[in-house]
Amino acid sequence: MYLRSDLSLLVLFLLTALTSAGCSSRRPIGATGPPFRLESIDGESVLFSPSIPDSNSNNSPIHVTMNVLAPDASEGTSCLAEEGPFRVELARKHADSVQITLPSTERWLGDVNGLVGPDGDAVEALYVLLAKLDQLQQDGCFGGAGSSIRDFIVQSLPMKPPESLFSYYGYRPDRSSLDLKPGIRLKVERAYFRAAKTTEEADVTQNFAGLSTVNFDVESGHDGKIHFRQIGDVRFTPASLKGQVQDASHESELTGIPPEPRFRLVFYTLLVSKEQKLSAAVVGASSASQLDEFDHELRLRPVGGCKNFAAANEVACVEFSGLVTVTCQIRVELNGKSTLIDWGTRIKDLLAKDSLGSLTIQRKFMNSYRDVRFNPADLSVLSLALVGGDRLRWSKSASGGR
């Protein structure tokens, strides 16, 4: 689902600029705390989160501490979640903290790439660990901060720049689903075709009549639950198509889905045959681990879609059937201007072919903005997949060359 781009790599990118990391022009926006770091490991670029110390060896487990609890919030409760190389427990010396152990960078990246060792798959262990964490939260552990701990763990894992969507939306190509966070916009486009008069006219490209487009914003209510709000009316291209469509309320079901704490967009492209004409589904549940379990079950028996067994799993489900596409859009800031872009957009998909003189990136870690530190001569930064809230500022080089 990554967006394709015909932009060539910028061969003159930042070779003569950004020589001073402390230059005021590099920091037009405030950011606090340790930065993200783009570093090279065995010839490949890896994005490290602010929670991972510079001193952490790439072949050593990662130990981080998260301050989330009120003192004695979990006193007397056995609060420990452990699976494979992951471990979450109350900090022994600090009653308001959680001690988290993550796999080493080499172990994690190896398993993400399918190089699973004899001691198990760290990726699968992560999902088991997160399910245990959700259960512990229901049992009263961690002062009710289980969801924040889950986000902290996933955002702390080192990832390659094009794969940073996993850290914020849980997306991996082999899972083909995307967590819907407040601030995301869903764009639903449906194709319409004239009925073929003869078998010779069965080629749909000859009978294409037009498109309808409707947008929905993913929003969070006062209770923290997510709902969907339609933005404007359904638009038709060409406009004359509106009078020809008898039922333009295909997607209205989405606004009526009961609010839930968690929602996910599941792409059916890799799950069902084209003959079933199932494009995607929006599913919602009370916890992320419940969605993980349902997601797994849906992949085991995708025929017929999620509606066949959603109710039995206490999962809300809205399916998009027919010749329809559902695209997520995220809001980022580009040179000070708030802009909607399609998810999966990389930095190099946004920049013109002119060589650059400067580039500044800021990204949220949990709820605070951090700088993204990188070597100005490292072109791999251009492959960074953007996430909602990212801030980019750039300028052309003085020469204006290519």
Side-chain angles (χ1 to χ4, degrees):
M1 290 292 296
Y2 287 113
L3 298 180
R4 298 178 180 177
S5 173
D6 59 358
L7 298 179
S8 61
L9 288 177
L10 308 178
V11 294
L12 296 179
F13 177 73
L14 296 178
L15 294 180
T16 59
L18 293 177
T19 56
S20 174
C23 178
S24 60
S25 62
R26 289 201 60 196
R27 297 180 180 273
I29 311 169
T32 59
F36 288 89
R37 309 184 312 275
L38 189 62
E39 300 179 0
S40 179
I41 298 179
D42 298 328
E44 292 188 301
S45 290
V46 177
L47 184 67
F48 288 91
S49 79
S51 60
I52 301 178
D54 290 28
S55 58
N56 201 96
S57 172
N58 293 329
N59 57 10
S60 300
I62 300 169
H63 300 285
V64 294
T65 301
M66 182 182 181
N67 300 319
V68 294
L69 306 174
D72 303 325
S74 300
E75 185 178 1
T77 307
S78 177
C79 297
L80 169 65
E82 186 174 21
E83 185 70 23
F86 294 91
R87 183 182 178 93
V88 181
E89 59 188 327
L90 294 174
R92 297 178 181 177
K93 297 182 179 180
H94 302 280
D96 60 347
S97 301
V98 173
Q99 183 68 43
I100 301 171
T101 301
L102 308 176
S104 69
T105 298
E106 291 181 355
R107 165 75 185 277
W108 172 251
L109 293 178
D111 286 8
V112 167
N113 291 329
L115 304 176
V116 179
D119 55 346
D121 185 354
V123 179
E124 291 303 318
L126 171 64
Y127 292 112
V128 176
L129 182 282
L130 296 177
K132 291 181 177 180
L133 188 62
D134 279 352
Q135 183 59 54
L136 286 175
Q137 182 180 3
Q138 294 177 24
D139 295 341
C141 278
F142 308 122
S147 296
S148 297
I149 298 172
R150 178 190 178 103
D151 291 342
F152 183 87
I153 290 172
V154 177
Q155 290 184 26
S156 292
L157 291 166
M159 299 296 293
K160 295 179 181 178
E163 299 169 351
S164 61
L165 292 168
F166 175 78
S167 301
Y168 289 81
Y169 307 115
Y171 175 79
R172 296 184 65 227
D174 60 340
R175 292 180 67 87
S176 297
S177 59
L178 190 76
D179 289 336
L180 296 176
K181 303 291 184 70
I184 285 179
R185 175 168 291 184
L186 293 179
K187 180 173 66 174
V188 183
E189 296 177 294
R190 184 176 296 276
Y192 294 88
F193 298 86
R194 293 180 290 270
K197 296 180 180 179
T198 65
T199 56
E200 288 75 14
E201 295 180 358
D203 184 357
V204 294
T205 58
Q206 296 181 3
N207 299 310
F208 176 70
L211 288 173
S212 68
T213 304
V214 60
N215 296 317
F216 299 89
D217 275 355
V218 181
E219 299 180 338
S220 179
H222 296 297
D223 57 359
K225 292 185 177 181
I226 291 175
H227 63 273
F228 300 87
R229 182 170 63 92
Q230 182 173 329
I231 306 301
D233 297 327
V234 180
R235 302 188 305 276
F236 292 90
T237 306
S240 58
L241 180 64
K242 181 177 181 179
Q244 305 172 34
V245 176
Q246 297 180 352
D247 182 10
S249 61
H250 296 286
E251 281 67 63
S252 61
E253 188 179 358
L254 188 59
T255 58
I257 192 171
E260 293 283 0
R262 298 273 184 167
F263 275 96
R264 183 171 295 173
L265 176 63
V266 179
F267 302 104
Y268 280 144
T269 308
L270 301 179
L271 300 181
V272 299
S273 62
K274 294 181 179 179
E275 288 74 15
Q276 291 188 249
K277 296 183 179 179
L278 289 173
S279 173
V282 171
V283 294
S286 59
S287 69
S289 60
Q290 190 177 0
L291 286 181
D292 290 339
E293 183 178 350
F294 184 78
D295 200 331
H296 176 72
E297 188 173 354
L298 180 60
R299 293 171 199 288
L300 294 178
R301 47 173 178 157
V303 177
C306 68
K307 285 191 173 181
N308 287 343
F309 57 99
N313 289 267
E314 298 182 343
V315 172
C317 167
V318 170
E319 289 182 324
F320 299 88
S321 60
L323 296 171
V324 57
T325 61
V326 183
T327 304
C328 283
Q329 295 183 310
I330 57 176
R331 189 167 293 278
V332 298
E333 187 177 295
L334 306 178
N335 279 337
K337 182 179 180 180
S338 179
T339 306
L340 279 171
I341 61 174
D342 287 345
W343 75 282
T345 298
R346 302 159 297 180
I347 292 178
K348 64 181 176 182
D349 298 325
L350 297 172
L351 305 182
K353 295 182 179 180
D354 302 278
S355 60
L356 298 179
S358 66
L359 175 64
T360 299
I361 310 168
Q362 292 180 339
R363 169 167 291 185
K364 280 187 177 180
F365 178 72
M366 303 303 285
N367 293 319
S368 64
Y369 272 98
R370 309 296 179 92
D371 291 319
V372 178
R373 190 177 70 196
F374 58 94
N375 183 337
D378 185 0
L379 293 178
S380 66
V381 70
L382 297 177
S383 66
L384 179 67
L386 300 179
V387 300
D390 278 357
R391 296 168 169 171
L392 273 69
R393 285 183 179 268
W394 68 88
S395 63
K396 298 179 181 180
S397 64
S399 63
R402 291 177 177 260

